[in-house]
Amino acid sequence: MELDYKAIGERIRRLRLEQRMTQAGLAERSGQEPSNLSHIERGATKLGLPTLVSIANALGVTADRLLFDSLEYADRV
């Protein structure tokens, strides 16, 4: 399964803008470089789990909210 990094980035951007936050503000709150955050929002780079979690925390959302269209749910017994 391949993650849709462009969709994740667009979701991050939308949530950031809804909170009237600049890229620099989100970068500071999440411990990222502003240029890296720009690449993430455009889907030009892959992001790892620690980065995803730090951005989710900075936005006040869960990581699954950023990943929801990439998750496959299965019942396992």
Side-chain angles (χ1 to χ4, degrees):
M1 175 182 84
E2 184 68 26
L3 293 176
D4 186 346
Y5 291 100
K6 184 172 176 133
I8 294 167
E10 288 171 356
R11 218 169 286 117
I12 290 169
R13 181 178 187 276
R14 182 177 38 79
L15 289 165
R16 175 180 62 78
L17 292 174
E18 285 175 4
Q19 296 181 29
R20 300 179 196 266
M21 194 182 310
T22 63
Q23 276 187 345
L26 179 55
E28 184 177 330
R29 290 178 75 179
S30 64
Q32 304 302 310
E33 291 294 323
S35 60
N36 187 43
L37 191 58
S38 174
H39 292 348
I40 291 169
E41 287 188 357
R42 289 184 287 120
T45 189
K46 295 180 178 183
L47 66 158
L49 184 58
T51 301
L52 181 78
V53 170
S54 69
I55 291 171
N57 285 334
L59 290 169
V61 300
T62 60
D64 64 331
R65 174 122 183 240
L66 301 177
L67 294 171
F68 78 91
D69 63 342
S70 300
L71 299 176
E72 293 181 14
Y73 296 97
D75 292 330
R76 296 186 182 163
V77 180

